[in-house]
Amino acid sequence: MVIPTPAAGLTAPKVGFVSLGCPKALVDSEQILTQLRAEGYQTASSYDGADLVIVNTCGFIDAAVQESLDAIGEALAENGKVIVTGCLGAKKDAAGDDIITKVHPKVLAVTGPHAVTEVMESVHLHLPKPHDPFIDLVPDHGVKLTPKHYAYLKISEGCNHRCSFCIIPSMRGDLVSRRIDEVLIEAENLFKAGVKELLVISQDTSAYGVDVKFRTGFWNGRPIKTHMTQLVEALGQLARQYDAWVRLHYVYPYPHVDHAIPFMGDGHVLPYLDIPMQHAHPDVLKRMKRPASGEKNLERILNWRKMNPDLTIRSTFIAGFPGETEAEFEYLLDFLKEAQIDRLGCFAYSPVEGATANELANPVPEEVREERRARVMLLQEEISAKRLQAKVGKTVRVLIDEVGPREAIGRSAADAPEIDGVVHIKRPLVPGKQKLAVGQFADVVVTRADAHDLWANPI
């Protein structure tokens, strides 16, 4: 990241930054970095070169908590001046004490997630901001931690669900939707800056606007409701203007999602839905306090695929949830065989401190949880290999992420960055073949596939 040099005679203070957790936390980090840059701070590339360090934490599961605590400890040992923000900052232990300060009492300040103002107040207190009003330090699209050709667009904060295995609402609060005009302005600025793929994220994308009763806003002089389907339609129109992609994440399978599928026909709103289903058996879903049933999920998936046969579905599932019987687990396997999920992640249930699921009867032994997770992934490998094999011989459009001496790495409409597979593309040796460049689209012909990735030749 390049920060403009301050005016002559001024020394800009430097801030180190460690960003952990999910894409929603990444967007929080980008907002803090944007504000730092707006006020003239520079970012440091090492602990040694920083005047203080900000650590944005994750606190969802035990492994994430430990990773965050380790990162804070490392920053304290290497630098000594540390401000902590993020989900772990809002988490308490069983006694109601702050987890971070209990382990690391020397941190300068602790805030929860989505707390730009509070973080900046702490920065100002311990590292006074520079004064240089003569330089425009921030581009319209803000500071981004992703590559230049893709970016995350967060449309809301928090969640109204109270899933028994999750503590996110206790850390991020209830659903708060962003104004639709602000979302679309940010999207347009990102496209203008060269972003070719916009990944829409939230805790519950389908619920966008529920908290404001789908209030009507205005965009380019016309009324538009704060509603998922109208947002998707508008983002698709923007993406078409800039020849870009829009990808939808964290979509709960509510009935109105049906109305978003038709927007996926022109190659700009991608035929891709990331749906966190977690399980299929109705009794398990009830214990999880999930807002959907397995039967309806399967029905909707089959209907969506009739509407758009190119639709890719990604999902996550939990194996070994408290009380899960072998019959309930077999029901999940049967669901997966019917649903033919394209991209799937499965986690063995892990108790999270503060989650109500910890109080449920009949916890599944750890070895059984792990064994069931392995069975899900073995089945999924077969399903994924079969679905990817069907793409051999077809022409697909890819967005190039890397270009090496012998091959380029790209992603198709079916591949979200960092969580899905990739397309390995043979570098063209024949003059006249299309040039492969990072951040550009290319049409390729698929030559082979495995359970995760594709291999292709450029046209």
Side-chain angles (χ1 to χ4, degrees):
M1 183 183 305
V2 178
I3 305 294
T5 303
L10 295 176
T11 301
K14 294 185 178 181
V15 178
F17 208 101
V18 179
S19 184
L20 305 173
C22 66
K24 292 175 283 295
L26 181 71
V27 173
D28 288 351
S29 295
E30 291 174 340
Q31 291 172 347
I32 294 168
L33 284 166
T34 296
Q35 188 60 36
L36 286 167
R37 182 167 175 175
E39 295 185 10
Y41 291 93
Q42 290 194 20
T43 53
S45 59
S46 67
Y47 290 124
D48 291 342
D51 295 301
L52 65 77
V53 176
I54 298 172
V55 180
N56 190 4
T57 59
C58 179
F60 184 47
I61 60 175
D62 290 346
V65 170
Q66 191 58 53
E67 181 186 22
S68 294
L69 290 173
D70 290 346
I72 295 167
E74 180 182 1
L76 282 168
E78 297 292 332
N79 183 277
K81 298 179 69 175
V82 178
I83 292 171
V84 180
T85 187
C87 287
L88 186 57
K91 196 171 182 181
K92 308 294 182 183
D93 63 15
D97 296 325
D98 181 80
I99 290 176
I100 293 171
T101 54
K102 196 170 184 178
V103 178
H104 297 298
K106 293 183 179 180
V107 296
L108 300 176
V110 177
T111 75
H114 197 56
V116 177
T117 300
E118 293 88 343
V119 171
M120 292 308 301
E121 287 174 352
S122 297
V123 172
H124 296 157
L125 178 63
H126 298 284
L127 188 63
K129 63 181 179 180
H131 298 282
D132 187 7
F134 305 109
I135 302 177
D136 181 9
L137 294 171
V138 185
D140 290 338
H141 60 279
V143 175
K144 295 297 172 186
L145 295 174
T146 51
K148 290 182 179 180
H149 60 285
Y150 70 82
Y152 293 100
L153 179 69
K154 184 159 61 172
I155 63 173
S156 64
E157 278 291 339
C159 182
N160 287 342
H161 302 303
R162 294 298 182 265
C163 301
S164 61
F165 56 83
C166 181
I167 59 172
I168 292 297
S170 68
M171 296 186 286
R172 288 188 171 263
D174 289 335
L175 176 73
V176 179
S177 300
R178 294 179 61 194
R179 285 175 41 175
I180 193 164
D181 59 319
E182 290 180 356
V183 172
L184 291 171
I185 287 169
E186 181 178 347
E188 186 165 33
N189 285 336
L190 288 166
F191 286 137
K192 286 179 178 178
V195 165
K196 287 298 182 181
E197 180 178 5
L198 208 54
L199 299 107
V200 178
I201 59 170
S202 66
Q203 290 298 140
D204 181 358
T205 295
S206 304
Y208 176 65
V210 167
D211 56 312
V212 294
K213 299 180 180 179
F214 307 117
R215 179 175 56 213
T216 298
F218 289 88
W219 168 246
N220 283 345
R222 66 181 179 86
I224 181 169
K225 287 187 178 294
T226 310
H227 191 280
M228 179 231 185
T229 53
Q230 293 204 16
L231 173 64
V232 170
E233 181 181 14
L235 288 173
Q237 292 170 353
L238 274 175
R240 190 179 305 116
Q241 293 176 34
Y242 294 92
D243 189 26
W245 284 351
V246 172
R247 189 183 299 275
L248 304 178
H249 286 278
Y250 312 114
V251 177
Y252 279 73
Y254 303 146
H256 65 260
V257 176
D258 295 359
H259 303 298
I261 305 299
F263 300 133
M264 299 178 176
D266 68 354
H268 295 291
V269 176
L270 296 179
Y272 179 103
L273 289 175
D274 175 5
I275 307 169
M277 296 181 202
Q278 310 302 0
H279 211 278
H281 195 283
D283 292 342
V284 179
L285 289 168
K286 186 176 180 180
R287 294 197 295 275
M288 289 179 168
K289 297 185 178 178
R290 297 293 287 170
S293 71
E295 297 95 331
K296 291 181 180 178
N297 285 348
L298 181 58
E299 179 183 333
R300 289 204 174 99
I301 288 170
L302 297 177
N303 184 51
W304 291 339
R305 285 198 166 128
K306 286 181 182 178
M307 297 169 68
N308 190 325
D310 294 327
L311 181 66
T312 294
I313 295 176
R314 149 165 278 283
S315 191
T316 52
F317 292 85
I318 298 173
F321 189 76
E324 182 189 61
T325 64
E326 180 63 25
E328 290 170 342
F329 176 71
E330 292 285 349
Y331 186 101
L332 171 60
L333 295 181
D334 290 340
F335 170 88
L336 295 177
K337 292 172 186 175
E338 286 285 328
Q340 294 285 294
I341 304 296
D342 299 86
R343 304 293 196 184
L344 184 149
C346 183
F347 304 92
Y349 173 73
S350 174
V352 177
E353 188 172 344
T356 58
N358 300 338
E359 303 167 10
L360 294 173
N362 303 314
V364 178
E366 183 177 359
E367 62 272 18
V368 177
R369 286 181 255 153
E370 292 293 343
E371 183 264 343
R372 288 179 181 174
R373 184 200 68 80
R375 286 164 65 188
V376 168
M377 295 313 297
L378 186 62
L379 171 61
Q380 178 58 29
E381 191 162 328
E382 295 175 8
I383 293 171
S384 180
K386 181 179 178 182
R387 294 188 70 79
L388 289 178
Q389 187 63 35
K391 297 184 179 184
V392 173
K394 294 184 177 180
T395 299
V396 298
R397 195 183 197 207
V398 297
L399 180 59
I400 305 298
D401 285 336
E402 302 175 29
V403 176
R406 295 187 178 182
E407 73 168 17
I409 302 294
R411 290 178 294 103
S412 71
D415 308 310
E418 307 207 0
I419 58 173
D420 294 329
V422 297
V423 183
H424 301 267
I425 307 158
K426 185 178 180 181
R427 289 289 305 277
L429 300 177
V430 180
K433 290 282 188 179
Q434 61 182 321
K435 183 180 180 182
L436 303 177
V438 172
Q440 299 298 315
F441 291 108
D443 293 322
V444 300
V445 177
V446 179
T447 57
R448 69 182 179 94
D450 64 13
H452 306 284
D453 299 339
L454 299 175
W455 281 259
N457 291 332
I459 294 177

